[in-house]
Amino acid sequence: MADDSIAVVDLDRCQPDRCNYECANFCPPNRTGKECITQRGEDAVDGDPDQIRISEEICLGETCGICVEKCPFDAIEIINLPSELEEDPVHRYGENAFSLYGLPYPEPGTVTGILGPNGIGKSTAVHALAGEMTPNLGDHDDEPEWEAVLDRFRGTELQNYLGKLVEGEVTVARKPQYVDQIPKQFDGNTRELLERTDERGALEDLIDRLSIRPVMDQPIDSISGGELQRVAIAACLARDADFYFLDEITPYLDIGQRMTAARLIAELAEDEAADRSMLVVEHDLAILDMLADTLHVAYGEPGAYGVITDSKSVRNGINEYLKGYLDNENMRIRPNAITFEEHAPRVSSKGMPLVDYPDLHKSYGEGEFSLDVEAGTIYESEVLGVVGPNGIGKSTLAKMFAGSVEPDEGDLDFELDIAYKPQYVEIDQPMRVDAFLSSITDEFGSSYWNTEVAQPLQLERIMEQNLTDLSGGERQRVAIAACLSEDADLYVMDEPSAHLDVEQRVQATSAIRRYAENHDATVLVIDHDIYMIDLLADRLMVFDGEPAHHGHAKPPQEMRAGMNDFLADLDITFRRDERTGRPRINKPDSQKDRQQKREGEYYYSV
C-alpha cells in the first residue's frame, strides 16, 4: 500500500462466524498467493483469533477497495490519508486500528478549544496530554517511551509542556463528556461528591453561580441532566490543577447557563498567578467562539484516523470549519459550506393555518410548577422554533401537543397526527436499529428514505446494532429518524441537538429542514443551540417566567422579533459575522454589546 494509505478493521463489526471470509477470498493479492488478508491468529493482541488482519504493506489501497465492498458487516475501511501528513501518527492503537496525527497545545493562561466530530481522537489527545498514556508514535508493537515523544516534539510549543508532564510537574482536572454516567460511578449526595473536590476554596462561589445549591443534599442519581452537568463543571473547576480538560460543557444547559459556565472557565484561565491551561471540547459554536482564545480543528474519518491541526484564531478556525476548507492545511474536510441567512428562509409568506390553539394552563399542584400559554397559530409547512430557559415549561408544551399531558384549562382536541421525539431518549427495546425503523415506515430501505433520512443522519453503520448498545448520540439520531419516518401532520422534536457533534448537528438540521420543505411538513423544534435554531426556524415561540416555578409562552412571532425578545431577557447580544453570516455572541459589556443594547437590537446586527 502507498505510504499515505491505511487499512482499518472494526473488530466490533467483524463477525467471522457469520460470513465466508468474502474479503479474503476476493482480495486480488490473496488470489495471487500473497497473504494480504489473513486471520489474526492466536497471538493477536486484540480481538478474536478468527477475525481478519490486513497487511498494509501488501494491500493495493483505496483504488482497489474490493474487500470494503465484499464485507457484509461494513467492518473494513481502506483510506487514503491526506498527502500533507508527512510524519508518522502520534499514536496508533494497534494493527488496522485508529491513528491520531497531531496534538493540541494547551497554552498557559488561555482557553484552547478543539472543534471536530466525535470519534476523531480528541479524547486520545487528552489522555496523552494528561500523562494517562504514552504516545507510541505509530509503533504499536513496541513499548512506547516518553524520550522518543519529547524528541518528536523538540522545537515546538509542546516541548516545554510535555517536559513538565514527564517530570510529574503537571496536575490534571477533568470533566467527563457523558455526565449521565456519574451516578453509576458515585453513590451519595451532591454535597458529598463536591466537597471532596474543593481544593481551591472556591466551591461555595461555584455552587451559587451555577445555581446548584437546591440540589446539594439530593442523591446524585435523583438530579436532572442539567443539574448533573453543572455539578460536574463545579467539581472540575473546584480542583487546583495546572491543566483543566472540559469535554462538552453545554449538553442539557440553556443558553444562560452555558454563558455562566463559559465565564467561570474564562475567569479561571485569566488568573495570571496560577498560569493554568484550559482545554475545552465543545459543539456549541456560539459558546466556543466566545470562550476560546485559540482553536484546533480536528478532522479525518471517525473511528479510523484523526488529524488535529496547529492552533488557529478562533474566528478563522470556525469560519474555515463552516466553509469546509482549511486554508493553511490546504485541506477540504466537507463537500459543501454551511451558510447562514440573515432572515428566516420563508418569512415573506405564511401558509394556511395548521392549528389555532387557545390559551392553555397547566399546573402540577399548589406551590408546584405552572405554565400559561397564550393562544397562537401554527402554519402548514413551517418550522417553529421554541426557545427559553430550562425548567420553564417547553417540554410540558411539547407533551401537551403530543397528547401525553392534558392541559387543566384550554382544549387541544385538534384532529392531527403528531410525531413526537422526547427530550430524553429512552430506548430499551432489545431489537436492532433496522428492525425498529422498518417497523415504523414502509419506506424503510427505499432509495428516497435512504437519501432523505438514513444518509444525513449517518445511520448506515449502526443499522445492525441493538438499540440498547447505542451511544447517546446514536440514540438521538435514531430517535430523529423514527420521528421523521412517521406519517404525521405535526412533528414535535425536543432538543434534537443533544449529544450530537457539530457535523451531526448540521446534518440533522439539514435533514429536518429538507424533510419539512419536501413534504410540506410542519415541525416544532425545541433547542438551546442558537446555530441550529437559526438554520432551522421560520418563526419563534419564546418562553419566559421563573424556572421551576412558573412559565409563560408567548404567541409565535417572526424570527428577528422573537430573538430580540428572547435575548433581551437573558441580557445577551449576538452579531452576525460579516464574512459568513453566522451568529456570534458579543463579549459582555464590549462596545458592540453596549451599542446593540442601546438600539434594542440583540440579534441579527452585522
Side-chain angles (χ1 to χ4, degrees):
M1 186 186 290
D3 291 339
D4 58 355
S5 296
I6 59 170
V8 179
V9 179
D10 187 339
L11 298 181
D12 290 332
R13 303 180 69 85
C14 180
Q15 302 180 52
D17 57 330
R18 295 178 58 198
C19 75
N20 296 310
Y21 289 105
E22 289 88 346
C23 57
N25 294 333
F26 286 91
C27 170
N30 276 29
R31 299 183 75 167
T32 63
K34 298 178 181 178
E35 293 188 343
C36 179
I37 301 181
T38 58
Q39 293 181 16
R40 298 175 70 82
E42 296 295 336
D43 60 343
V45 177
D46 299 309
D48 183 332
D50 294 332
Q51 291 179 312
I52 65 155
R53 62 177 291 278
I54 301 176
S55 169
E56 292 181 341
E57 291 74 25
I58 299 174
C59 178
L60 300 177
E62 194 173 342
T63 53
C64 171
I66 290 176
C67 59
V68 177
E69 294 296 324
K70 293 296 182 180
C71 176
F73 305 110
D74 199 20
I76 301 173
E77 288 187 86
I78 309 294
I79 298 168
N80 286 341
L81 297 173
S83 58
E84 291 76 10
L85 295 179
E86 298 175 354
E87 294 184 311
D88 291 330
V90 170
H91 189 76
R92 192 167 193 186
Y93 278 96
E95 186 177 41
N96 303 144
F98 180 84
S99 301
L100 174 67
Y101 295 81
L103 286 175
Y105 171 52
E107 184 177 352
T110 65
V111 179
T112 302
I114 305 182
L115 171 58
N118 291 327
I120 212 75
K122 300 186 294 293
S123 295
T124 298
V126 170
H127 286 311
L129 293 175
E132 296 166 355
M133 57 164 270
T134 305
N136 60 25
L137 305 183
D139 185 3
H140 51 79
D141 291 325
D142 295 328
E143 190 71 24
E145 296 181 356
W146 275 109
E147 185 177 345
V149 178
L150 292 174
D151 188 58
R152 163 75 173 269
F153 289 100
R154 200 169 305 282
T156 70
E157 294 175 316
L158 265 173
Q159 180 184 359
N160 186 46
Y161 175 85
L162 292 175
K164 290 181 179 179
L165 180 69
V166 174
E167 295 299 322
E169 299 174 6
V170 173
T171 54
V172 179
R174 297 182 59 182
K175 188 207 81 68
Q177 178 181 11
Y178 296 112
V179 297
D180 52 358
Q181 299 298 311
I182 293 175
K184 299 177 183 178
Q185 301 162 0
F186 179 82
D187 184 19
N189 65 27
T190 304
R191 186 180 304 279
E192 291 167 343
L193 185 148
L194 287 178
E195 285 182 347
R196 63 174 63 179
T197 69
D198 189 18
E199 299 171 352
R200 298 191 299 112
L203 184 59
E204 290 300 310
D205 180 57
L206 291 168
I207 289 169
D208 287 333
R209 292 181 64 182
L210 289 166
S211 302
I212 53 178
R213 194 167 294 281
V215 302
M216 286 298 289
D217 295 311
Q218 290 186 26
I220 202 73
D221 61 359
S222 71
I223 64 177
S224 71
E227 290 161 346
L228 199 55
Q229 183 71 268
R230 284 174 280 153
V231 167
I233 292 169
C236 179
L237 299 184
R239 295 195 179 278
D240 188 10
D242 303 301
F243 171 44
Y244 293 78
F245 172 63
L246 297 107
D247 198 346
E248 295 189 39
I249 62 171
T250 63
Y252 305 117
L253 301 189
D254 62 45
I255 188 168
Q257 294 165 339
R258 295 177 186 199
M259 290 286 290
T260 297
R263 287 170 181 149
L264 287 169
I265 294 167
E267 289 170 12
L268 199 58
E270 291 165 0
D271 183 354
E272 296 180 2
D275 215 23
R276 298 183 177 95
S277 302
M278 318 292 288
L279 187 64
V280 178
V281 174
E282 184 49 58
H283 300 305
D284 183 325
L285 293 181
I287 294 296
L288 184 65
D289 186 18
M290 185 202 75
L291 174 61
D293 299 301
T294 60
L295 184 70
H296 296 267
V297 175
Y299 67 93
E301 291 285 340
Y305 80 96
V307 182
I308 296 179
T309 69
D310 291 337
S311 65
K312 303 172 179 285
S313 74
V314 178
R315 181 187 176 195
N316 285 344
I318 293 178
N319 283 352
E320 288 177 16
Y321 180 85
L322 294 173
K323 187 170 60 174
Y325 179 79
L326 305 179
D327 292 337
N328 290 344
E329 291 75 15
N330 189 26
M331 174 60 55
R332 178 154 294 285
I333 61 172
R334 190 187 315 103
N336 302 307
I338 299 166
T339 57
F340 295 83
E341 299 182 41
E342 183 161 347
H343 299 285
R346 293 177 291 177
V347 297
S348 56
S349 63
K350 293 173 180 159
M352 295 290 292
L354 176 73
V355 59
D356 294 305
Y357 59 89
D359 290 343
L360 302 170
H361 175 77
K362 177 66 182 178
S363 176
Y364 287 92
E366 187 175 348
E368 299 294 324
F369 178 78
S370 64
L371 171 66
D372 288 294
V373 180
E374 291 187 48
T377 300
I378 301 175
Y379 292 96
E380 293 180 356
S381 307
E382 79 166 338
V383 179
L384 178 62
V386 180
V387 294
N390 279 334
I392 208 75
K394 302 186 302 299
S395 295
T396 298
L397 176 75
K399 291 173 183 176
M400 286 197 293
F401 272 34
S404 59
V405 169
E406 292 290 331
D408 298 327
E409 298 175 19
D411 185 7
L412 280 179
D413 190 22
F414 38 69
E415 295 182 1
L416 296 177
D417 290 323
I418 295 175
Y420 172 52
K421 188 208 79 67
Q423 179 181 16
Y424 298 110
V425 180
E426 297 290 343
I427 298 178
D428 54 7
Q429 296 170 271
M431 63 190 303
R432 289 186 359 171
V433 172
D434 50 6
F436 171 64
L437 292 174
S438 64
S439 71
I440 295 173
T441 176
D442 293 336
E443 294 289 325
F444 176 83
S446 68
S447 59
Y448 181 79
W449 188 88
N450 286 337
T451 301
E452 294 293 307
V453 179
Q455 290 174 10
L457 292 172
Q458 299 175 304
L459 299 180
E460 296 96 329
R461 289 185 61 82
I462 62 172
M463 282 295 187
E464 295 186 351
Q465 293 187 33
N466 287 321
L467 292 170
T468 51
D469 295 333
L470 300 179
S471 69
E474 290 166 344
R475 288 185 178 207
Q476 186 71 267
R477 281 146 45 206
V478 170
I480 294 170
C483 184
L484 291 179
S485 295
E486 293 189 40
D487 187 12
D489 302 303
L490 176 64
Y491 296 82
V492 179
M493 297 193 181
D494 198 344
E495 291 200 43
S497 74
H499 297 301
L500 301 186
D501 63 37
V502 176
E503 196 77 20
Q504 291 164 348
R505 289 182 192 196
V506 169
Q507 291 172 327
T509 299
S510 299
I512 296 168
R513 180 83 224 182
R514 188 167 59 243
Y515 189 91
E517 291 174 348
N518 292 347
H519 293 76
D520 290 327
T522 303
V523 186
L524 186 149
V525 176
I526 300 168
D527 213 280
H528 295 299
D529 188 311
I530 294 295
Y531 277 54
M532 190 170 205
I533 290 293
D534 188 68
L535 285 166
L536 263 180
D538 298 314
R539 294 192 302 152
L540 276 188
M541 181 186 292
V542 180
F543 278 65
D544 59 17
E546 185 180 356
H549 295 285
H550 176 254
H552 167 244
K554 301 176 183 178
Q557 52 189 314
E558 298 297 337
M559 278 289 290
R560 183 165 183 164
M563 274 297 185
N564 274 327
D565 194 6
F566 171 52
L567 295 173
D569 196 43
L570 292 168
D571 200 34
I572 297 170
T573 61
F574 275 76
R575 69 189 185 282
R576 285 191 175 272
D577 186 272
E578 57 267 27
R579 287 172 54 192
T580 66
R582 68 180 172 90
R584 303 184 69 192
I585 299 176
N586 290 316
K587 300 285 185 185
D589 207 35
S590 65
Q591 181 179 347
K592 189 71 174 174
D593 181 59
R594 295 195 304 270
Q595 176 190 338
Q596 288 184 219
K597 286 175 179 174
R598 285 196 303 269
E599 296 172 351
E601 290 289 350
Y602 286 74
Y603 201 53
Y604 287 117
S605 181
V606 179

